[in-house]
Amino acid sequence: MKRFNYVGLLAIYKFELSRFKRTFWQSLVTPIITTMLFLLVFGNAIGERVGGISGVSYAAFIIPGLIMLTILNESLSNSSFGIYMPKFNGTIYEILSAPLSPYEIALGYVGAAASKSILLGLLILCTAIFFIDIPIQHPFLMFAFLIYISFVFSMIGFIIGIVSKSFDQLQFVPLLIITPLTFLGGAFYSIDMLPEIWRTATLLNPIIYIISTFRWSFLGVSPVSIYVSLGVITVIFLLSLTLIVIIFRTGYRVKT
Amino acid sequence: MQKSNPIVLSSLVKTFPNGLVALDGVNLEIQEGEIFALLGPNGAGKTTLINIICGLSTKTSGDVKVDGLDIERHFREVRQLIGLVPQELYTDMFETVWDTVCFSRGLFGLPKDSPLVEKILNDLSLWSKRQEIMKNLSGGMKRRVLIAKALAHEPRILFLDEPTAGVDVELRQDMWELIRSYKKQKVTIILTTHFIDEAETLADRVGVINQGKLILVEDKISLMTKLGKKTLVIYLEERINKTANVISRFNLDVKNDGLELEYTFDENEEGTAISDLIRALAAEGIHFKTLETKKSSLEEIFLDLVVKKK
Ligand SMILES: Nc1ncnc2c1ncn2[C@@H]1O[C@H](COP(=O)(O)OP(=O)(O)OP(=O)(O)O)[C@@H](O)[C@H]1O
Ligand SMILES: [Mg+2]
C-alpha cells in the first residue's frame, strides 16, 4: 500500500482556495460589510438602550456572535458548494479516478473551506477591533476554537454537499436551520436575559454552546459550563465524522 | 511470477439501484500494449465498464484486476497506472488549460513538471491556448484538454470513451495519429466508439458489447479476413430438400426455410467454385430465380450480432 497522497490532497486544497480568490469580493468582502452593518445597527442604535452585558458594551458583546454567524454559514456553504460543484459539472470523475482515498478528498475540501472561514473570522475580528473596544481574555483558545468550529461546520457542509441533489437543497440547511438557530442561540443576547422557560428551551439548541464557547474566550464568562459546551461541539464533530465514514463506506451518492 | 495482463475482468456484473443490469457477466482480458476497441450500441454498457475499472462506479459482483492487483484493495497502485478521458466534456469552466492539466498531475500525487506538461500540450496542439480558460475553448479543444489531463501523470493504460464523438474529420485523423503515437510509447489503450471504421483502422482487437454482454472479442486481422469474404445468395424457385448433395459438397447455408442458399467464399481467391456450384445445382435439378453477392463488412457482422441478440 502506498502512502498518504498529500500532494493530491494539497492539489484539491489549492484548487479550492483559488476558487475563493476568483470570487474574492463575494467571499471575503461581503461578510465583512454585513458584519459592519450589524455592528452599526445593533451595536450602536440598539446598544445605546441596552447598555452593557457581561461587563462589556453591547457592541463588544455581539462581536463573537457575529463572527460565529458568519463562520457557521460560510463553512457550511463553502464546503458544500466545493464538493457539490464537481458532482454537478461532472469533473468529480477526475477526483474519483485519482489515487486518493475518500478521506484525503474530504480533508482537501473541508480544509480549504475551514481555512477560508478562519481567515474570514480573523478579518472580521480585526475590523471590529478597529471600531470597538473588546477584550480578548484567552486569545490562543479563541484561535483554537475558531479553527475547531470552522472545521466541524465545514465537515457538516461537506456532508450537505454530498447528499444534496440540487442547489436549493444546498442552501436549505444554512438558511433554514443554521441562521435561525444562530439568532436564537444567543448571538445577540445572553441567554441569562431570557425568562426561565425560554432559557431551558434554548439549551436544546446546539448553537448556543458554540457561541458560548467562543464568547467565553473573549469575555471569560459563559452562561453555560465551558466544558459542557466543548463536549457538545465534540459530539457534533464525532457525529459528522461518523456520517462521513458511513457515506464513504457505502459510496452513497458519490459513485454510481 | 508471470506478468499478468494489464486488465482482467471476470464475471463482472453491474446492476444499478433501479434494477437495470448494465453489465451481465463480462469476461475480458486486455493485453499489454494493445489498442482494444469496444463497440456497441447506445446503452450497451461501454461507459459503465470503463467507470468500474476507473473507480467511478462500484461493481455489483465479479472481479476486476489491473496488473494483477484488485482494483479496490490496491486502488492507489491501480489508479496511478490509469488515465481516463470521459465521454462527456466535463470541465471547470474558469480554469486555464495550463492550470487544469497541472491540477490533474497533482491529484495523482506527482510533483509539478512543467516541461512534461509543455510537451503534452504541444503534442495536442494546445500550447497556444495554455492561458485560455476552458469556457472559451471549442468542443474539440476541450476534448484535447481532457486527453492532456489524462496523460499528465504518464499513465500506462489509457481509457478513451468515444474520443472522436463530435469531432470533425480533420481532428479525427489527428486523434488517430495521436492514439497510434501513444501505442508506440507502449501505452495500452482501450477505446469505445460507434464508428466501425475507427475500430478497423486503429484497433488490434475488437470487442462487441450489447445489453451488458460481451458478444464478440476478436483479433482485427481475423475480422478483416471475414471482411474479405463474400456471400453469394441464391434465391430458389422451390424449397430445397435439406439432404441435397450440393449442400454438403459446397458447405451451403440453408436460409428462409429452404428457399435461399448462401455460399461464402473468399473474394481474393481465384477459382471456379461459383461456376462449379451453379453447374452442380443444375445437375441436381435445382432451379433458382436470381443470384446476389454480398460483401460482409464489420458493420454487418456487428449489426448481425446485435440484432440477433435482440
Ligand atoms: N447511474 C445510472 N443509473 C441507472 N442506470 C444507468 C446509470 N448509468 C447508466 N445507466 C444505464 O446503464 C446502461 C449502460 O449505460 P452506458 O453508459 O454504460 O452505455 P454506453 O454503452 O456507454 O452507451 P453510449 O454509447 O450511449 O455512451 C444504460 O441502459 C444506461 O441507461
Ligand atoms: Mg458511453
Side-chain angles (χ1 to χ4, degrees):
Chain A
M1 198 67 186
K2 259 175 68 181
R3 65 198 150 65
F4 194 78
N5 182 358
Y6 71 92
V7 178
L9 189 163
L10 217 62
I12 294 178
Y13 182 82
K14 284 188 194 150
F15 178 91
E16 283 297 288
L17 286 192
S18 79
R19 189 168 66 80
F20 299 147
K21 234 186 327 189
R22 254 195 319 262
T23 51
F24 181 80
W25 283 98
Q26 293 104 294
S27 49
L28 288 185
V29 177
T30 317
I32 291 176
I33 292 176
T34 316
T35 312
M36 293 303 106
L37 285 175
F38 267 116
L39 268 184
L40 197 72
V41 175
F42 284 98
N44 288 350
I46 297 172
E48 306 263 297
R49 295 167 195 229
V50 177
I53 314 182
S54 309
V56 292
S57 73
Y58 181 67
F61 178 83
I62 65 169
I63 285 170
L66 280 174
I67 294 175
M68 279 300 111
L69 184 64
T70 309
I71 294 302
L72 301 191
N73 278 304
E74 286 287 316
S75 299
L76 287 179
S77 57
N78 284 318
S79 176
S80 61
F81 200 77
I83 185 67
Y84 184 76
M85 242 357 239
K87 275 201 327 173
F88 176 74
N89 68 21
T91 50
I92 191 136
Y93 86 86
E94 195 180 15
I95 291 169
L96 292 177
S97 63
L100 282 161
S101 77
Y103 301 98
E104 289 155 358
I105 297 172
L107 210 54
Y109 285 104
V110 171
S115 301
K116 187 187 161 194
S117 288
I118 295 162
L119 181 68
L120 199 56
L122 293 177
L123 269 174
I124 294 173
L125 182 61
C126 291
T127 325
I129 286 174
F130 193 76
F131 294 107
I132 287 147
D133 190 26
I134 176 167
I136 307 178
Q137 303 280 354
H138 308 284
F140 288 111
L141 283 176
M142 185 273 290
F143 191 53
F145 292 158
L146 186 64
I147 295 173
Y148 189 29
I149 295 165
S150 298
F151 231 87
V152 171
F153 276 77
S154 297
M155 280 169 67
I156 299 173
F158 186 81
I159 297 168
I160 296 170
I162 283 194
V163 299
S164 288
K165 286 183 187 157
S166 67
F167 281 99
D168 294 333
Q169 290 180 3
L170 222 51
Q171 289 296 321
F172 181 82
V173 175
L175 283 181
L176 279 121
I177 300 179
I178 300 301
T179 304
L181 285 184
T182 313
F183 275 89
L184 296 174
F188 301 108
Y189 54 86
S190 168
I191 58 165
D192 286 339
M193 294 156 84
L194 298 174
E196 188 52 36
I197 176 155
W198 280 113
R199 189 186 186 281
T200 313
T202 305
L203 290 178
L204 291 173
N205 174 359
I207 305 292
I208 182 79
Y209 302 97
I210 293 164
I211 294 176
S212 297
T213 309
F214 195 59
R215 186 172 280 135
W216 172 85
S217 66
F218 286 81
L219 309 182
V221 290
S222 168
V224 284
S225 154
I226 176 82
Y227 297 108
V228 171
S229 298
L230 275 175
V232 171
I233 300 174
T234 304
V235 167
I236 300 176
F237 167 72
L238 292 174
L239 276 178
S240 317
L241 191 66
T242 313
L243 256 175
I244 290 182
V245 172
I246 290 173
I247 285 171
F248 287 150
R249 286 275 158 84
T250 56
Y252 179 72
R253 285 189 194 169
V254 190
K255 297 187 181 194
T256 52
Chain B
M1 201 182 91
Q2 198 197 332
K3 194 158 170 25
S4 40
N5 278 326
I7 294 171
V8 179
L9 310 179
S10 343
S11 332
L12 180 60
V13 173
K14 173 66 184 183
T15 310
F16 281 109
N18 60 9
L20 191 128
V21 182
L23 294 175
D24 194 0
V26 172
N27 293 295
L28 176 65
E29 302 201 0
I30 303 290
Q31 289 151 18
E32 184 83 47
E34 73 172 334
I35 298 183
F36 186 88
L38 194 56
L39 283 164
N42 288 126
K46 304 181 293 295
T47 301
T48 306
L49 185 121
I50 291 182
N51 284 353
I52 289 175
I53 303 172
C54 295
L56 306 188
S57 195
T58 47
K59 65 176 193 224
T60 306
S61 66
D63 207 31
V64 183
K65 290 213 161 72
V66 173
D67 251 16
L69 299 171
D70 181 81
I71 54 162
E72 281 164 17
R73 247 181 326 130
H74 299 275
F75 75 95
R76 285 189 209 266
E77 291 90 331
V78 165
R79 291 186 196 166
Q80 201 72 39
L81 299 172
I82 296 178
L84 166 65
V85 182
Q87 179 174 359
E88 308 287 333
L89 296 173
Y90 299 129
T91 56
D92 286 303
M93 294 206 295
F94 299 104
E95 291 290 304
T96 65
V97 171
W98 178 267
D99 287 347
T100 199
V101 176
C102 291
F103 172 67
S104 301
R105 189 173 162 83
L107 285 181
F108 282 78
L110 299 172
K112 209 173 154 74
D113 185 345
S114 300
L116 174 82
V117 175
E118 181 173 342
K119 183 181 177 304
I120 292 172
L121 291 183
N122 268 319
D123 288 350
L124 288 156
S125 320
L126 284 169
W127 182 244
S128 61
K129 300 281 176 195
R130 64 190 179 282
Q131 296 307 341
E132 201 68 68
I133 59 170
M134 295 298 291
K135 193 166 82 92
N136 296 346
L137 299 184
S138 72
M141 285 175 196
K142 282 190 189 131
R143 184 151 320 264
R144 277 182 280 169
V145 175
L146 291 189
I147 297 179
K149 282 164 77 70
L151 293 170
H153 64 282
E154 301 167 277
R156 263 189 37 225
I157 303 168
L158 186 60
F159 284 92
L160 299 157
D161 200 352
E162 299 193 24
T164 57
V167 151
D168 68 24
V169 181
E170 195 185 341
L171 181 55
R172 200 159 160 231
Q173 301 284 345
D174 289 354
M175 210 70 99
W176 289 356
E177 254 340 286
L178 205 74
I179 292 170
R180 287 198 191 96
S181 78
Y182 293 125
K183 180 184 156 72
K184 280 204 196 93
Q185 295 166 39
K186 305 264 183 286
V187 178
T188 305
I189 296 162
I190 297 95
L191 61 89
T192 71
T193 181
H194 289 284
F195 303 112
I196 316 272
D197 59 331
E198 188 158 285
E200 279 184 32
T201 27
L202 281 178
D204 298 308
R205 286 196 308 150
V206 177
V208 177
I209 187 171
N210 187 41
Q211 295 184 342
K213 287 202 165 74
L214 201 56
I215 48 186
L216 170 141
V217 176
E218 207 158 327
D219 221 76
K220 195 185 54 186
I221 312 282
S222 68
L223 271 178
M224 292 307 278
T225 342
K226 278 192 188 156
L227 283 177
K229 294 258 165 81
K230 273 190 171 182
T231 306
L232 174 72
V233 189
I234 305 159
Y235 298 93
L236 304 175
E237 284 186 342
E238 288 165 29
R239 278 197 175 74
I240 190 169
N241 182 344
K242 304 225 162 135
T243 56
N245 241 335
V246 67
I247 295 177
S248 54
R249 190 174 145 211
F250 288 89
N251 198 15
L252 301 177
D253 283 333
V254 183
K255 295 267 170 86
N256 198 9
D257 210 14
L259 281 172
E260 287 171 27
L261 294 173
E262 280 189 9
Y263 173 58
T264 308
F265 61 100
D266 195 329
E267 67 171 338
N268 305 320
E269 248 171 59
E270 285 179 42
T272 53
I274 292 189
S275 44
D276 288 349
L277 170 61
I278 290 172
R279 246 177 274 126
L281 285 171
E284 290 189 37
I286 302 163
H287 301 289
F288 55 84
K289 287 188 280 196
T290 168
L291 296 172
E292 185 188 64
T293 56
K294 287 196 300 193
K295 185 173 172 9
S296 55
S297 65
L298 179 49
E299 180 119 26
E300 252 179 5
I301 296 172
F302 173 75
L303 281 176
D304 197 34
L305 280 166
V306 168
V307 171
K308 233 190 280 173
K309 284 280 159 180
K310 279 185 181 149

